[in-house]
Amino acid sequence: MSRSLSRRSVLATTAAAATAAAVAPLATATATTAHAAPTLPNGTSKDKVLVVGMDGLRHDVIAAADAPHLTSMMANGTYGTSLLYANPMAATSSGPGWSTISTGVWPDKHGVKENSFAGKNYAQYPGFLARLAQVRPQLSTYAAVDWKPLDAQGTVTPGADAKLVLDGDRDGYTGHDATIAAETESILRNQNPDVLFVYFGQTDIAGHNSGAASAAYRQAIEVQDGYLGRLLAAIKARPSYATERWTVIVTTDHGHTDSGGHGGSAIEERRTFVLAQGPGIAAGARPADTRLVDVAATVFKQLGIAPDPAWGLDGKPIQERSTDPFEALHPALSGRVDETGIPAGVLGWTHTAPSGWSVVNSAMGTGGVTEWRGWSFATDEFWSRSQRDQSRELNVRSRGVFAVADSDEWDDKASSGPYDSTLVTPAYAVAGKSTVTLGLTTLYRQEGSQSARILASWNGGTPVEVKRYTSDVISQPQSLTLNVPSGAANVSFRFHYTGSNNWYWVIDGVKVTTG
C-alpha cells in the first residue's frame, strides 16, 4: 500500500468494540509516548497464543538480515512458505492479506480485494479474535496495530478486550512500532493475557521507500526481530511460565519487489510465510503445504477449539499435514526443461504419478512443452511462474503438489495433434457400500472446444462419465457422490482433459470415502 510519512509523534486512538458478540468492555490506552498499558481481564487459560504480524516482510530476505530471533524460531518451530493469490481474486495488498490472516479464509469468501475494503464480509467471516469472543468469551485478549484500517475496518481488533490503535500513516511507523512493542512487552510481563495480536508496519515502509533488496529493508527486519525477541523474553520471564503452554506465530500479509512495491502478480510480491512454535508444533519442519489461511486455524488448535464447519475456514493447523496422494511426489520434482522463464533452481514438476495412479497419453499429440505434455504434477511456484496473469495465481486451495493438465502452456512449443490426457486413480474398495464420494479441489478455466470429464470405472469395466465441466471453477472444493451398483467391488476414477491451446484443469486434495 502507499503510505505517507510525516511527523513521528505517538498517538493512541480509542474506538468502541466493532462486534456485537459477547465481549468484555474495551480497555484503552492513554495518548502519550510513555503511557501505562491498559488493564486486561485476568486470563483463564494455560494455553496461550501470541500472533506477531510484520507487514510486507519478504521471507527470502530474512537470511540476509541479522535476525537471530526469527532464525531461532525457524529452528525450534515450523516454517511454511507459500504464495498469495493475485488479481482478479485480490491484489497483493495489506487489506486482503491481513483479512486472509485474521479470518482464515481466502478473499473469495472474506470479500476484501484491495485496500478500500469494499465488499468485506466480516459478518460471515469474522477475525479470529471476534470468533474467540463468541465461543470463548472468558479468554483475555489484546490487539495492537498502527495501520489504522485494521481497526477502523474491523479486520483484526473486534473481539479484543483491550487494544492499542496508532496512526502510522500520519505519524510514521518507527515510533509507533516501538510503542506497540513496549506496551505488549509490559502486558506479557505484568498481566495475564491469553491471546494477543500485535502488528509492526515499518518493514512495509522500508520496502516501499528503498526496495526489498536494500540495506534499509534489512535494517527494518532487524529492528522488528529485536521487538520479537523482547516479546519472547517477556513470555519466558512470566512467573507462571513453567505451567503455561505458549504458542508464538509470526506471519506477513504480502511480499515486495526488489525495487519496492506490491499489489501485482510477481512472485516476489506474492511471497508469504507462517512461522510457529509451541506445543505439538514440530521443530525445524519446512512443510510445503502451509498456506496463509492457516494462521487462524492454528490459533484455534492451540487453544483446544474445534472450528465449527459452519465457519467455513479454508485453513488448517500448521502442524497438520495434507494427506493428498500428490504430496508423496516432492522427492521426484525436477527443474525446468523447456520453461526457460522459470529459474533453474526451482524444482517443481514431474510426470511421475503417485503410487497406484497412472497417466494415459495414448491419444496425446506430439511435441509441445515437455513439462506440460499430458497430466503433470507441479507446485504453485513452478506452475504459476510459467505464465503470469492468466489466473494460475488463483490456485489458492491447492496445497503442495497438485495435478495439472495445461493445453495452453503445452502449445507454447511446436506440436502436432490434440492435447488428450487421462489421469487414472487407483481402484477403491466399495463392496457392501451403498455410496462412494469423490472429493477434490478444482481450478478449471473453460475455453473453446476443450473438455474436462470425470469418469468412473466399476470393477475395471468401461469408464462412464459422471461429471463434465463446461464453465470456470476457480479453486473450489468439489464433492461427487455416486450410488454403488449391485455387485461392484471397486471403483476407479479418470480425469480426462482435451484441448487445443485452450486453458487448463487442476485437481488436488483427492479423497474417496464410502458410506
Side-chain angles (χ1 to χ4, degrees), residues 121-153:
N121 189 18
Y122 298 148
Q124 184 173 359
Y125 301 105
F128 65 80
L129 290 178
R131 285 283 191 204
L132 293 176
Q134 294 168 359
V135 303
R136 195 75 68 80
Q138 66 270 31
L139 292 175
S140 175
T141 59
Y142 171 78
V145 301
D146 52 5
W147 188 45
K148 285 189 70 176
L150 297 181
D151 173 65
Q153 296 290 343

PDB file of all heavy atoms in Angstrom, residues 121-153:
ATOM      1  N   ASN A 121     -16.740  -8.994   4.103  1.00  0.00           N
ATOM      2  CA  ASN A 121     -17.804  -9.876   4.600  1.00  0.00           C
ATOM      3  C   ASN A 121     -17.404 -10.430   5.967  1.00  0.00           C
ATOM      4  O   ASN A 121     -17.446 -11.633   6.203  1.00  0.00           O
ATOM      5  CB  ASN A 121     -18.060 -11.006   3.596  1.00  0.00           C
ATOM      6  CG  ASN A 121     -19.286 -11.824   3.937  1.00  0.00           C
ATOM      7  OD1 ASN A 121     -20.139 -11.388   4.709  1.00  0.00           O
ATOM      8  ND2 ASN A 121     -19.376 -13.023   3.381  1.00  0.00           N
ATOM      9  N   TYR A 122     -17.023  -9.530   6.865  1.00  0.00           N
ATOM     10  CA  TYR A 122     -16.608  -9.959   8.198  1.00  0.00           C
ATOM     11  C   TYR A 122     -17.787 -10.436   9.038  1.00  0.00           C
ATOM     12  O   TYR A 122     -17.579 -11.113  10.057  1.00  0.00           O
ATOM     13  CB  TYR A 122     -15.906  -8.823   8.938  1.00  0.00           C
ATOM     14  CG  TYR A 122     -14.638  -8.324   8.283  1.00  0.00           C
ATOM     15  CD1 TYR A 122     -14.259  -6.996   8.400  1.00  0.00           C
ATOM     16  CD2 TYR A 122     -13.808  -9.188   7.564  1.00  0.00           C
ATOM     17  CE1 TYR A 122     -13.086  -6.519   7.831  1.00  0.00           C
ATOM     18  CE2 TYR A 122     -12.638  -8.723   6.987  1.00  0.00           C
ATOM     19  CZ  TYR A 122     -12.279  -7.387   7.116  1.00  0.00           C
ATOM     20  OH  TYR A 122     -11.126  -6.921   6.544  1.00  0.00           O
ATOM     21  N   ALA A 123     -19.009 -10.079   8.640  1.00  0.00           N
ATOM     22  CA  ALA A 123     -20.161 -10.569   9.392  1.00  0.00           C
ATOM     23  C   ALA A 123     -20.243 -12.088   9.311  1.00  0.00           C
ATOM     24  O   ALA A 123     -20.524 -12.767  10.309  1.00  0.00           O
ATOM     25  CB  ALA A 123     -21.442  -9.937   8.854  1.00  0.00           C
ATOM     26  N   GLN A 124     -19.962 -12.621   8.129  1.00  0.00           N
ATOM     27  CA  GLN A 124     -19.977 -14.079   7.957  1.00  0.00           C
ATOM     28  C   GLN A 124     -18.637 -14.704   8.311  1.00  0.00           C
ATOM     29  O   GLN A 124     -18.586 -15.836   8.816  1.00  0.00           O
ATOM     30  CB  GLN A 124     -20.344 -14.439   6.522  1.00  0.00           C
ATOM     31  CG  GLN A 124     -20.483 -15.944   6.271  1.00  0.00           C
ATOM     32  CD  GLN A 124     -21.003 -16.272   4.892  1.00  0.00           C
ATOM     33  OE1 GLN A 124     -21.284 -15.373   4.085  1.00  0.00           O
ATOM     34  NE2 GLN A 124     -21.140 -17.552   4.596  1.00  0.00           N
ATOM     35  N   TYR A 125     -17.543 -13.963   8.041  1.00  0.00           N
ATOM     36  CA  TYR A 125     -16.190 -14.485   8.277  1.00  0.00           C
ATOM     37  C   TYR A 125     -15.416 -13.498   9.152  1.00  0.00           C
ATOM     38  O   TYR A 125     -14.571 -12.740   8.666  1.00  0.00           O
ATOM     39  CB  TYR A 125     -15.465 -14.707   6.952  1.00  0.00           C
ATOM     40  CG  TYR A 125     -16.174 -15.683   6.040  1.00  0.00           C
ATOM     41  CD1 TYR A 125     -16.888 -15.241   4.929  1.00  0.00           C
ATOM     42  CD2 TYR A 125     -16.143 -17.049   6.303  1.00  0.00           C
ATOM     43  CE1 TYR A 125     -17.539 -16.134   4.094  1.00  0.00           C
ATOM     44  CE2 TYR A 125     -16.796 -17.946   5.479  1.00  0.00           C
ATOM     45  CZ  TYR A 125     -17.495 -17.485   4.372  1.00  0.00           C
ATOM     46  OH  TYR A 125     -18.143 -18.374   3.550  1.00  0.00           O
ATOM     47  N   PRO A 126     -15.695 -13.456  10.457  1.00  0.00           N
ATOM     48  CA  PRO A 126     -15.003 -12.526  11.343  1.00  0.00           C
ATOM     49  C   PRO A 126     -13.566 -12.947  11.601  1.00  0.00           C
ATOM     50  O   PRO A 126     -13.174 -14.090  11.355  1.00  0.00           O
ATOM     51  CB  PRO A 126     -15.832 -12.596  12.627  1.00  0.00           C
ATOM     52  CG  PRO A 126     -16.418 -13.974  12.614  1.00  0.00           C
ATOM     53  CD  PRO A 126     -16.689 -14.281  11.163  1.00  0.00           C
ATOM     54  N   GLY A 127     -12.780 -12.010  12.133  1.00  0.00           N
ATOM     55  CA  GLY A 127     -11.417 -12.322  12.526  1.00  0.00           C
ATOM     56  C   GLY A 127     -11.391 -13.266  13.710  1.00  0.00           C
ATOM     57  O   GLY A 127     -12.387 -13.464  14.420  1.00  0.00           O
ATOM     58  N   PHE A 128     -10.215 -13.868  13.955  1.00  0.00           N
ATOM     59  CA  PHE A 128     -10.158 -14.903  14.988  1.00  0.00           C
ATOM     60  C   PHE A 128     -10.392 -14.342  16.386  1.00  0.00           C
ATOM     61  O   PHE A 128     -10.918 -15.032  17.254  1.00  0.00           O
ATOM     62  CB  PHE A 128      -8.874 -15.729  14.909  1.00  0.00           C
ATOM     63  CG  PHE A 128      -7.597 -14.992  15.188  1.00  0.00           C
ATOM     64  CD1 PHE A 128      -7.186 -14.713  16.483  1.00  0.00           C
ATOM     65  CD2 PHE A 128      -6.761 -14.610  14.142  1.00  0.00           C
ATOM     66  CE1 PHE A 128      -5.991 -14.059  16.738  1.00  0.00           C
ATOM     67  CE2 PHE A 128      -5.566 -13.952  14.385  1.00  0.00           C
ATOM     68  CZ  PHE A 128      -5.180 -13.675  15.687  1.00  0.00           C
ATOM     69  N   LEU A 129     -10.046 -13.078  16.654  1.00  0.00           N
ATOM     70  CA  LEU A 129     -10.339 -12.516  17.972  1.00  0.00           C
ATOM     71  C   LEU A 129     -11.847 -12.368  18.170  1.00  0.00           C
ATOM     72  O   LEU A 129     -12.369 -12.604  19.269  1.00  0.00           O
ATOM     73  CB  LEU A 129      -9.645 -11.164  18.142  1.00  0.00           C
ATOM     74  CG  LEU A 129      -8.124 -11.198  18.281  1.00  0.00           C
ATOM     75  CD1 LEU A 129      -7.570  -9.788  18.386  1.00  0.00           C
ATOM     76  CD2 LEU A 129      -7.694 -12.031  19.486  1.00  0.00           C
ATOM     77  N   ALA A 130     -12.556 -11.975  17.124  1.00  0.00           N
ATOM     78  CA  ALA A 130     -14.010 -11.886  17.218  1.00  0.00           C
ATOM     79  C   ALA A 130     -14.636 -13.269  17.402  1.00  0.00           C
ATOM     80  O   ALA A 130     -15.598 -13.437  18.158  1.00  0.00           O
ATOM     81  CB  ALA A 130     -14.577 -11.201  15.973  1.00  0.00           C
ATOM     82  N   ARG A 131     -14.083 -14.278  16.709  1.00  0.00           N
ATOM     83  CA  ARG A 131     -14.567 -15.652  16.905  1.00  0.00           C
ATOM     84  C   ARG A 131     -14.361 -16.086  18.353  1.00  0.00           C
ATOM     85  O   ARG A 131     -15.240 -16.701  18.972  1.00  0.00           O
ATOM     86  CB  ARG A 131     -13.821 -16.605  15.983  1.00  0.00           C
ATOM     87  CG  ARG A 131     -14.203 -16.567  14.539  1.00  0.00           C
ATOM     88  CD  ARG A 131     -15.495 -17.293  14.281  1.00  0.00           C
ATOM     89  NE  ARG A 131     -15.717 -17.457  12.849  1.00  0.00           N
ATOM     90  CZ  ARG A 131     -16.916 -17.624  12.303  1.00  0.00           C
ATOM     91  NH1 ARG A 131     -17.994 -17.652  13.071  1.00  0.00           N
ATOM     92  NH2 ARG A 131     -17.035 -17.769  10.999  1.00  0.00           N
ATOM     93  N   LEU A 132     -13.192 -15.781  18.895  1.00  0.00           N
ATOM     94  CA  LEU A 132     -12.913 -16.179  20.267  1.00  0.00           C
ATOM     95  C   LEU A 132     -13.860 -15.497  21.241  1.00  0.00           C
ATOM     96  O   LEU A 132     -14.285 -16.097  22.236  1.00  0.00           O
ATOM     97  CB  LEU A 132     -11.463 -15.861  20.616  1.00  0.00           C
ATOM     98  CG  LEU A 132     -10.397 -16.676  19.880  1.00  0.00           C
ATOM     99  CD1 LEU A 132      -9.004 -16.198  20.255  1.00  0.00           C
ATOM    100  CD2 LEU A 132     -10.544 -18.163  20.171  1.00  0.00           C
ATOM    101  N   ALA A 133     -14.211 -14.231  20.963  1.00  0.00           N
ATOM    102  CA  ALA A 133     -15.144 -13.535  21.843  1.00  0.00           C
ATOM    103  C   ALA A 133     -16.518 -14.198  21.823  1.00  0.00           C
ATOM    104  O   ALA A 133     -17.256 -14.147  22.816  1.00  0.00           O
ATOM    105  CB  ALA A 133     -15.264 -12.072  21.411  1.00  0.00           C
ATOM    106  N   GLN A 134     -16.837 -14.846  20.720  1.00  0.00           N
ATOM    107  CA  GLN A 134     -18.125 -15.527  20.607  1.00  0.00           C
ATOM    108  C   GLN A 134     -18.111 -16.891  21.311  1.00  0.00           C
ATOM    109  O   GLN A 134     -19.064 -17.234  22.016  1.00  0.00           O
ATOM    110  CB  GLN A 134     -18.485 -15.715  19.132  1.00  0.00           C
ATOM    111  CG  GLN A 134     -18.741 -14.419  18.378  1.00  0.00           C
ATOM    112  CD  GLN A 134     -18.799 -14.628  16.873  1.00  0.00           C
ATOM    113  OE1 GLN A 134     -18.623 -15.745  16.384  1.00  0.00           O
ATOM    114  NE2 GLN A 134     -19.037 -13.565  16.133  1.00  0.00           N
ATOM    115  N   VAL A 135     -17.052 -17.660  21.081  1.00  0.00           N
ATOM    116  CA  VAL A 135     -17.061 -19.048  21.541  1.00  0.00           C
ATOM    117  C   VAL A 135     -16.292 -19.272  22.841  1.00  0.00           C
ATOM    118  O   VAL A 135     -16.514 -20.272  23.524  1.00  0.00           O
ATOM    119  CB  VAL A 135     -16.503 -19.996  20.453  1.00  0.00           C
ATOM    120  CG1 VAL A 135     -17.306 -19.857  19.179  1.00  0.00           C
ATOM    121  CG2 VAL A 135     -15.021 -19.747  20.186  1.00  0.00           C
ATOM    122  N   ARG A 136     -15.405 -18.362  23.205  1.00  0.00           N
ATOM    123  CA  ARG A 136     -14.623 -18.490  24.436  1.00  0.00           C
ATOM    124  C   ARG A 136     -14.464 -17.095  25.060  1.00  0.00           C
ATOM    125  O   ARG A 136     -13.351 -16.572  25.192  1.00  0.00           O
ATOM    126  CB  ARG A 136     -13.275 -19.118  24.114  1.00  0.00           C
ATOM    127  CG  ARG A 136     -12.473 -19.646  25.304  1.00  0.00           C
ATOM    128  CD  ARG A 136     -13.008 -20.941  25.871  1.00  0.00           C
ATOM    129  NE  ARG A 136     -12.841 -22.076  24.978  1.00  0.00           N
ATOM    130  CZ  ARG A 136     -11.698 -22.779  24.807  1.00  0.00           C
ATOM    131  NH1 ARG A 136     -10.615 -22.443  25.483  1.00  0.00           N
ATOM    132  NH2 ARG A 136     -11.688 -23.829  24.014  1.00  0.00           N
ATOM    133  N   PRO A 137     -15.589 -16.458  25.442  1.00  0.00           N
ATOM    134  CA  PRO A 137     -15.526 -15.065  25.906  1.00  0.00           C
ATOM    135  C   PRO A 137     -14.722 -14.881  27.180  1.00  0.00           C
ATOM    136  O   PRO A 137     -14.325 -13.760  27.497  1.00  0.00           O
ATOM    137  CB  PRO A 137     -17.002 -14.694  26.112  1.00  0.00           C
ATOM    138  CG  PRO A 137     -17.704 -16.001  26.314  1.00  0.00           C
ATOM    139  CD  PRO A 137     -16.969 -16.984  25.460  1.00  0.00           C
ATOM    140  N   GLN A 138     -14.453 -15.944  27.914  1.00  0.00           N
ATOM    141  CA  GLN A 138     -13.687 -15.806  29.149  1.00  0.00           C
ATOM    142  C   GLN A 138     -12.198 -15.603  28.895  1.00  0.00           C
ATOM    143  O   GLN A 138     -11.449 -15.269  29.820  1.00  0.00           O
ATOM    144  CB  GLN A 138     -13.903 -17.031  30.038  1.00  0.00           C
ATOM    145  CG  GLN A 138     -13.343 -18.338  29.488  1.00  0.00           C
ATOM    146  CD  GLN A 138     -14.350 -19.098  28.635  1.00  0.00           C
ATOM    147  OE1 GLN A 138     -15.199 -18.488  27.979  1.00  0.00           O
ATOM    148  NE2 GLN A 138     -14.260 -20.421  28.637  1.00  0.00           N
ATOM    149  N   LEU A 139     -11.730 -15.787  27.656  1.00  0.00           N
ATOM    150  CA  LEU A 139     -10.322 -15.543  27.345  1.00  0.00           C
ATOM    151  C   LEU A 139     -10.004 -14.051  27.434  1.00  0.00           C
ATOM    152  O   LEU A 139     -10.835 -13.202  27.103  1.00  0.00           O
ATOM    153  CB  LEU A 139      -9.986 -16.047  25.945  1.00  0.00           C
ATOM    154  CG  LEU A 139     -10.023 -17.558  25.722  1.00  0.00           C
ATOM    155  CD1 LEU A 139      -9.793 -17.878  24.246  1.00  0.00           C
ATOM    156  CD2 LEU A 139      -8.989 -18.266  26.584  1.00  0.00           C
ATOM    157  N   SER A 140      -8.792 -13.741  27.854  1.00  0.00           N
ATOM    158  CA  SER A 140      -8.313 -12.359  27.915  1.00  0.00           C
ATOM    159  C   SER A 140      -7.522 -12.062  26.645  1.00  0.00           C
ATOM    160  O   SER A 140      -6.506 -12.704  26.373  1.00  0.00           O
ATOM    161  CB  SER A 140      -7.417 -12.176  29.144  1.00  0.00           C
ATOM    162  OG  SER A 140      -6.859 -10.874  29.164  1.00  0.00           O
ATOM    163  N   THR A 141      -7.997 -11.090  25.857  1.00  0.00           N
ATOM    164  CA  THR A 141      -7.415 -10.861  24.523  1.00  0.00           C
ATOM    165  C   THR A 141      -7.011  -9.405  24.329  1.00  0.00           C
ATOM    166  O   THR A 141      -7.622  -8.486  24.890  1.00  0.00           O
ATOM    167  CB  THR A 141      -8.417 -11.267  23.432  1.00  0.00           C
ATOM    168  OG1 THR A 141      -9.622 -10.503  23.568  1.00  0.00           O
ATOM    169  CG2 THR A 141      -8.755 -12.746  23.531  1.00  0.00           C
ATOM    170  N   TYR A 142      -5.995  -9.217  23.470  1.00  0.00           N
ATOM    171  CA  TYR A 142      -5.401  -7.889  23.252  1.00  0.00           C
ATOM    172  C   TYR A 142      -4.971  -7.776  21.798  1.00  0.00           C
ATOM    173  O   TYR A 142      -4.529  -8.761  21.190  1.00  0.00           O
ATOM    174  CB  TYR A 142      -4.194  -7.725  24.181  1.00  0.00           C
ATOM    175  CG  TYR A 142      -3.347  -6.500  23.926  1.00  0.00           C
ATOM    176  CD1 TYR A 142      -3.762  -5.240  24.362  1.00  0.00           C
ATOM    177  CD2 TYR A 142      -2.116  -6.602  23.276  1.00  0.00           C
ATOM    178  CE1 TYR A 142      -2.972  -4.114  24.147  1.00  0.00           C
ATOM    179  CE2 TYR A 142      -1.324  -5.482  23.060  1.00  0.00           C
ATOM    180  CZ  TYR A 142      -1.755  -4.239  23.493  1.00  0.00           C
ATOM    181  OH  TYR A 142      -0.966  -3.125  23.282  1.00  0.00           O
ATOM    182  N   ALA A 143      -5.094  -6.563  21.247  1.00  0.00           N
ATOM    183  CA  ALA A 143      -4.631  -6.296  19.889  1.00  0.00           C
ATOM    184  C   ALA A 143      -3.952  -4.941  19.846  1.00  0.00           C
ATOM    185  O   ALA A 143      -4.402  -3.988  20.505  1.00  0.00           O
ATOM    186  CB  ALA A 143      -5.799  -6.332  18.904  1.00  0.00           C
ATOM    187  N   ALA A 144      -2.874  -4.856  19.065  1.00  0.00           N
ATOM    188  CA  ALA A 144      -2.167  -3.586  18.889  1.00  0.00           C
ATOM    189  C   ALA A 144      -1.781  -3.446  17.426  1.00  0.00           C
ATOM    190  O   ALA A 144      -1.140  -4.328  16.862  1.00  0.00           O
ATOM    191  CB  ALA A 144      -0.926  -3.536  19.783  1.00  0.00           C
ATOM    192  N   VAL A 145      -2.178  -2.330  16.810  1.00  0.00           N
ATOM    193  CA  VAL A 145      -1.906  -2.094  15.391  1.00  0.00           C
ATOM    194  C   VAL A 145      -1.551  -0.630  15.183  1.00  0.00           C
ATOM    195  O   VAL A 145      -2.015   0.248  15.927  1.00  0.00           O
ATOM    196  CB  VAL A 145      -3.117  -2.458  14.505  1.00  0.00           C
ATOM    197  CG1 VAL A 145      -3.505  -3.926  14.686  1.00  0.00           C
ATOM    198  CG2 VAL A 145      -4.325  -1.566  14.803  1.00  0.00           C
ATOM    199  N   ASP A 146      -0.736  -0.360  14.172  1.00  0.00           N
ATOM    200  CA  ASP A 146      -0.521   1.035  13.795  1.00  0.00           C
ATOM    201  C   ASP A 146      -0.829   1.305  12.316  1.00  0.00           C
ATOM    202  O   ASP A 146      -0.523   2.388  11.816  1.00  0.00           O
ATOM    203  CB  ASP A 146       0.881   1.536  14.181  1.00  0.00           C
ATOM    204  CG  ASP A 146       2.021   0.666  13.714  1.00  0.00           C
ATOM    205  OD1 ASP A 146       1.773  -0.314  12.989  1.00  0.00           O
ATOM    206  OD2 ASP A 146       3.178   0.964  14.075  1.00  0.00           O
ATOM    207  N   TRP A 147      -1.426   0.353  11.633  1.00  0.00           N
ATOM    208  CA  TRP A 147      -2.117   0.664  10.376  1.00  0.00           C
ATOM    209  C   TRP A 147      -3.597   0.705  10.736  1.00  0.00           C
ATOM    210  O   TRP A 147      -4.228  -0.321  10.975  1.00  0.00           O
ATOM    211  CB  TRP A 147      -1.828  -0.377   9.288  1.00  0.00           C
ATOM    212  CG  TRP A 147      -2.387   0.051   7.957  1.00  0.00           C
ATOM    213  CD1 TRP A 147      -2.291   1.297   7.401  1.00  0.00           C
ATOM    214  CD2 TRP A 147      -3.134  -0.748   7.032  1.00  0.00           C
ATOM    215  NE1 TRP A 147      -2.942   1.327   6.183  1.00  0.00           N
ATOM    216  CE2 TRP A 147      -3.465   0.090   5.934  1.00  0.00           C
ATOM    217  CE3 TRP A 147      -3.557  -2.076   7.025  1.00  0.00           C
ATOM    218  CZ2 TRP A 147      -4.196  -0.368   4.836  1.00  0.00           C
ATOM    219  CZ3 TRP A 147      -4.283  -2.535   5.942  1.00  0.00           C
ATOM    220  CH2 TRP A 147      -4.595  -1.700   4.850  1.00  0.00           C
ATOM    221  N   LYS A 148      -4.157   1.914  10.797  1.00  0.00           N
ATOM    222  CA  LYS A 148      -5.475   2.127  11.380  1.00  0.00           C
ATOM    223  C   LYS A 148      -6.610   1.320  10.734  1.00  0.00           C
ATOM    224  O   LYS A 148      -7.564   0.951  11.427  1.00  0.00           O
ATOM    225  CB  LYS A 148      -5.822   3.621  11.379  1.00  0.00           C
ATOM    226  CG  LYS A 148      -5.078   4.421  12.439  1.00  0.00           C
ATOM    227  CD  LYS A 148      -5.613   5.843  12.541  1.00  0.00           C
ATOM    228  CE  LYS A 148      -7.010   5.852  13.139  1.00  0.00           C
ATOM    229  NZ  LYS A 148      -7.516   7.242  13.335  1.00  0.00           N
ATOM    230  N   PRO A 149      -6.576   1.088   9.409  1.00  0.00           N
ATOM    231  CA  PRO A 149      -7.691   0.327   8.835  1.00  0.00           C
ATOM    232  C   PRO A 149      -7.914  -1.041   9.484  1.00  0.00           C
ATOM    233  O   PRO A 149      -9.038  -1.553   9.460  1.00  0.00           O
ATOM    234  CB  PRO A 149      -7.298   0.190   7.361  1.00  0.00           C
ATOM    235  CG  PRO A 149      -6.497   1.419   7.084  1.00  0.00           C
ATOM    236  CD  PRO A 149      -5.700   1.627   8.354  1.00  0.00           C
ATOM    237  N   LEU A 150      -6.879  -1.639  10.050  1.00  0.00           N
ATOM    238  CA  LEU A 150      -7.062  -2.939  10.698  1.00  0.00           C
ATOM    239  C   LEU A 150      -8.015  -2.848  11.885  1.00  0.00           C
ATOM    240  O   LEU A 150      -8.627  -3.843  12.282  1.00  0.00           O
ATOM    241  CB  LEU A 150      -5.714  -3.507  11.135  1.00  0.00           C
ATOM    242  CG  LEU A 150      -4.726  -3.816  10.009  1.00  0.00           C
ATOM    243  CD1 LEU A 150      -3.437  -4.389  10.578  1.00  0.00           C
ATOM    244  CD2 LEU A 150      -5.338  -4.766   8.985  1.00  0.00           C
ATOM    245  N   ASP A 151      -8.137  -1.634  12.436  1.00  0.00           N
ATOM    246  CA  ASP A 151      -9.138  -1.372  13.474  1.00  0.00           C
ATOM    247  C   ASP A 151     -10.400  -0.766  12.874  1.00  0.00           C
ATOM    248  O   ASP A 151     -11.502  -1.281  13.088  1.00  0.00           O
ATOM    249  CB  ASP A 151      -8.555  -0.426  14.521  1.00  0.00           C
ATOM    250  CG  ASP A 151      -9.594   0.012  15.536  1.00  0.00           C
ATOM    251  OD1 ASP A 151     -10.079  -0.858  16.290  1.00  0.00           O
ATOM    252  OD2 ASP A 151      -9.924   1.219  15.578  1.00  0.00           O
ATOM    253  N   ALA A 152     -10.243   0.287  12.100  1.00  0.00           N
ATOM    254  CA  ALA A 152     -11.403   1.028  11.592  1.00  0.00           C
ATOM    255  C   ALA A 152     -12.297   0.167  10.705  1.00  0.00           C
ATOM    256  O   ALA A 152     -13.517   0.326  10.700  1.00  0.00           O
ATOM    257  CB  ALA A 152     -10.932   2.273  10.828  1.00  0.00           C
ATOM    258  N   GLN A 153     -11.689  -0.755   9.950  1.00  0.00           N
ATOM    259  CA  GLN A 153     -12.467  -1.614   9.063  1.00  0.00           C
ATOM    260  C   GLN A 153     -12.946  -2.901   9.745  1.00  0.00           C
ATOM    261  O   GLN A 153     -13.692  -3.669   9.149  1.00  0.00           O
ATOM    262  CB  GLN A 153     -11.631  -1.981   7.825  1.00  0.00           C
ATOM    263  CG  GLN A 153     -11.271  -0.789   6.948  1.00  0.00           C
ATOM    264  CD  GLN A 153     -12.476  -0.208   6.225  1.00  0.00           C
ATOM    265  OE1 GLN A 153     -13.515  -0.856   6.112  1.00  0.00           O
ATOM    266  NE2 GLN A 153     -12.339   1.005   5.721  1.00  0.00           N
TER     267      GLN A 153
END
